[in-house]
Amino acid sequence: VDTELKHFKATEFRLFLLYVGPFFFKNFLNDELYKHFLLLHFSIYVLSSSNHEALYTNAQRCIEIFVYDMKRIFSNRAMTYNVHVLLHLHDFVLKHGNLNKFSTFGFENHLHHIKKRIRVTRHIFRHVLNQCFTLRNICISDCVSDLFFSSKSPNNCAIVNGCIIKVDKTESDSVSGYELVFRDELYSFPYSSRFLGIGYYNLSRSFVIGRP
């Protein structure tokens, strides 16, 4: 596991923190560690969205408990600067907007595109600069591609007309499928995952048709 973690990118850690972790760790960690993880998951998930502003104060309280328990569970060595900075996230969000508005993931994705275009070993900085200008011109001149829906698993779920659906059929001007209805929460600590729309869903008989 440690060998694999060394190769994880920030986006992969984010995937585990916000989406995969609450389900994956449910039967993998003991109760204390799982609840400790959920404190961070809940708070970061809330602070990453403008749709949950009513829960921002709750998120701050979760972060405070998470940081306090970090020392108790993992000793003083775990109390790094990065852990301390978590205490200030709430203030940053109130000042600059949700976390996605000032995160660096956009830079990481852009760097990925630049690295793929590098073909020389000499004068590499000049080459990188030229590629930056090329990418900028492409972004300015090219139109954004149309939104693409798929009916093939596992990429066949989407939000259409405000409903979560399992895509059954796609056409050039419409998409259709069966609605997924919330059945039960995934976790109840520190707050119910129902508030975030996270949980178990059932496939209903309601058929939804909408335009991409």
Side-chain angles (χ1 to χ4, degrees):
V1 176
D2 291 339
T3 303
E4 295 297 327
L5 287 176
K6 292 178 181 179
H7 299 287
F8 267 35
K9 296 175 60 179
T11 51
E12 292 169 317
F13 282 111
R14 181 179 63 169
L15 174 68
F16 265 87
L17 176 61
L18 298 183
Y19 308 110
V20 180
F23 179 82
F24 177 78
F25 292 136
K26 192 175 182 66
N27 297 315
F28 181 74
L29 298 176
N30 63 46
D31 187 62
E32 181 182 39
L33 293 179
Y34 182 61
K35 287 184 176 180
H36 189 243
F37 168 80
L38 287 179
L39 287 168
L40 183 62
H41 154 76
F42 180 87
S43 57
I44 299 302
Y45 194 101
V46 168
L47 295 177
S48 295
S49 172
S50 298
N51 297 327
H52 303 299
E53 290 184 2
L55 296 173
Y56 279 2
T57 302
N58 304 71
Q60 173 64 8
R61 179 56 181 156
C62 288
I63 289 178
E64 291 172 355
I65 299 174
F66 174 84
V67 173
Y68 177 82
D69 286 346
M70 177 70 75
K71 178 179 179 180
R72 179 179 60 82
I73 296 174
F74 299 105
S75 80
N76 287 329
R77 291 181 298 177
M79 300 302 294
T80 64
Y81 175 78
N82 287 338
V83 173
H84 170 77
V85 168
L86 292 173
L87 296 172
H88 301 283
L89 285 184
H90 179 257
D91 294 333
F92 294 153
V93 168
L94 293 181
K95 183 176 181 179
H96 301 292
N98 71 73
L99 294 177
N100 287 325
K101 291 186 177 181
F102 59 93
S103 76
T104 59
F105 287 111
F107 295 99
E108 183 179 4
N109 292 335
H110 188 66
L111 178 62
H112 168 72
H113 293 301
I114 293 176
K115 290 173 67 176
K116 286 177 60 177
R117 300 172 68 91
I118 295 176
R119 296 289 184 271
V120 300
T121 56
R122 295 183 61 190
H123 308 296
I124 189 169
F125 293 110
R126 180 188 302 173
H127 183 65
V128 168
L129 184 60
N130 289 335
Q131 292 303 318
C132 286
F133 284 124
T134 300
L135 285 174
R136 186 187 66 175
N137 292 333
I138 292 175
C139 292
I140 293 175
S141 59
D142 289 1
C143 296
V144 178
S145 59
D146 294 334
L147 186 62
F148 175 74
F149 288 89
S150 174
S151 59
K152 296 182 180 180
S153 179
N155 301 312
N156 58 338
C157 290
I159 297 179
V160 176
N161 298 343
C163 300
I164 303 175
I165 71 168
K166 180 179 180 182
V167 179
D168 179 69
K169 186 177 181 181
T170 61
E171 297 181 359
S172 59
D173 60 346
S174 67
V175 60
S176 58
Y178 292 93
E179 183 179 1
L180 291 167
V181 180
F182 189 91
R183 173 173 61 85
D184 195 15
E185 63 187 18
L186 176 62
Y187 55 80
S188 58
F189 176 90
Y191 301 95
S192 173
S193 64
R194 182 186 300 270
F195 295 141
L196 307 180
I198 297 175
Y200 300 98
Y201 285 75
N202 285 338
L203 190 65
S204 73
R205 295 183 180 180
S206 300
F207 197 70
V208 178
I209 301 176
R211 295 184 180 277

